[in-house]
């Protein structure tokens, strides 16, 4: 491996470690989701606790739909997410 590639790999690993530490330091449940598929890519420790999950594998790579109480709520949150992705901000309240 050349030096430039090694340095780039090292920087990526440091960045991933930083984001993981930041995510896990939050006291609110957070997930990182892949769009438009709405597949969970990463979760923090607080979200694991909220869902009663013992490992990230219980949530990661699952469709978001699995975690909503009904189709209406899932659609409402999906429309909100699209609005935020397009407009950069938003507010959604009273979602179970």
């Amino acid at each position: 491996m050349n030096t430039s590639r090694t340095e780039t790999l090292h920087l990526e690993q440091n960045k991933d470690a930083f984001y993981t530490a930041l995510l896990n330091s939050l006291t609110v449940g957070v997930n990182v989701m892949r769009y438009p598929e709405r597949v969970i890519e990463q979760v923090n420790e607080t979200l694991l606790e909220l869902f009663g999950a013992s490992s990230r594998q219980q949530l990661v790579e699952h469709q978001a739909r699995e975690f909503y109480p009904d189709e209406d709520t899932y659609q409402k949150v999906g429309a909100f997410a699209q609005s935020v992705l397009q407009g950069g901000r938003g507010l959604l309240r009273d979602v179970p």
Side-chain angles (χ1 to χ4, degrees):
M1 204 180 284
N2 66 36
T3 304
S4 178
R5 175 73 178 133
T6 303
E7 288 173 2
T8 301
L9 184 58
H10 184 69
L11 287 172
E12 282 295 315
Q13 289 171 338
N14 284 344
K15 183 177 77 170
D16 288 346
F18 171 78
Y19 286 126
T20 299
L22 178 63
L23 192 64
N24 285 326
S25 70
L26 299 173
T27 58
V28 297
V30 176
N31 74 65
V32 176
M33 195 168 304
R34 180 174 62 238
Y35 277 88
E37 303 90 352
R38 294 175 73 181
V39 172
I40 298 171
E41 289 195 338
Q42 192 174 21
V43 297
N44 70 350
E45 292 291 328
T46 304
L47 195 68
L48 289 177
E49 291 174 22
L50 289 170
F51 279 107
S54 58
S55 71
R56 285 179 169 74
Q57 289 72 28
Q58 290 179 289
L59 303 177
V60 172
E61 292 302 321
H62 287 262
Q63 294 285 327
R65 174 64 187 98
E66 296 176 38
F67 304 99
Y68 288 91
D70 54 54
E71 187 65 26
D72 183 54
T73 303
Y74 176 72
Q75 294 300 331
K76 181 190 278 188
V77 172
F80 168 72
Q82 287 301 322
S83 173
V84 169
L85 289 170
Q86 292 171 354
R89 59 190 335 193
L91 175 65
L92 183 62
R93 294 181 185 199
D94 301 323
V95 177

